[in-house]
Amino acid sequence: MADKKIWHEKLYCHLGQHFLIDKLLYKNKTDYQEIMIFENSFFGKIMVIDDIVQTTEKDEFIYHEMLTHIPIFSHGSIKNVLIIGGGDGGILREVCRHKNIESITMVEIDRNVVELCKKFFPRHNNNSYKDSRLKLIIDDGLNFIKKTEEKFDLIISDSTDPIKYGKNLFSSEFYFHCKNSLDKNGIFVAQNGVFFLQKNESILAFKKLKKYFHDTRFYHATIPTYYGGIMMFAWGSNNIELRKNSLKNLQSRIKYTKLDFNYYNAKIHISSFYLPQYILNELDEN
Ligand code: SAM
């Protein structure tokens, strides 16, 4: 152990997680961020951006399944999807599994993330960059959403934390334009951090979203390397019925697709919208 390097995450000043670096695979600065990729004997390959864990081979399925299938099975007939960020390809892979989806636009600011993850994390995208429905755009998600005339049924914001360029994807301006780029029954979802440790970020995002979406909620999942408690996924829509599917309805929608999952299922879907009281209190929600 003594001769192995240890990497310490720098997301919080008062506590942190660390990983043994069994093998350093890549470390470099791009025009946007510093990217590091290394092997860890338990989590497999890990990608870190600006010293914050982005994704690991071992637990990525939880995050990518929950950020993708909750809105898709809630809606029931998603045709046009917009992914903002998501350069590791995990969200794209999960979206592409739904054959009824007709078009997928993905807007990632840093082409290097896409190319590096194609090389080091091939199972993340699982060849979905070759999917004929995909339009990959290299741009700041905020620039794109301000300019686009297109309408989407689903917008998934899979960004880094609200730091540097990631900040744009947690701004009121971004949420305003996402709401205007959604169909009337459209859904917006986004990663929103671990509430116990990133409370202020989550509350701020929630308050901003409520200005544009009548039905603003968080749903949650527990992701080992986004440590510190349950992780919040922001949900925004202007049709509350989309979040009220019965267990039976969800089960039949899932059965119809013949898809199988490792984390997501109909009961997890419903239960993920039930939040602990301390979070409801902080959000002034019942
Ligand atoms: N699952 C991770 C998480 O929850 O932290 C996110 C993974 S993905 C690697 C995050 C992506 O967001 C990165 O590829 C980064 O380049 C991209 N990104 C950050 N800010 C962006 C922006 N303003 N527009 C588009 N993509 C952005």
Side-chain angles (χ1 to χ4, degrees), residues 64-82:
H64 293 126
E65 287 185 14
M66 287 300 278
L67 195 51
T68 307
H69 305 303
I70 293 262
I72 291 179
F73 285 116
S74 295
H75 186 285
S77 59
I78 298 267
K79 298 287 178 238
N80 307 306
V81 178
L82 170 61

Side-chain angles (χ1 to χ4, degrees), residues 33 47 49 53-55 63-64 84-88 107-110 113 139-142 158-161 165-166 168-169 191 226 231:
Q33 47 213 347
M47 177 169 70
I49 291 183
V53 169
Q54 295 301 305
T55 191
Y63 174 91
H64 293 126
I84 307 268
D88 56 65
V107 183
E108 162 59 53
I109 199 167
D110 191 344
V113 179
D139 191 3
D140 184 318
L142 179 57
D158 175 21
S159 72
T160 45
D161 286 276
Y165 298 90
N168 293 346
L169 308 184
Q191 75 92 350
Y226 301 157
M231 171 162 202

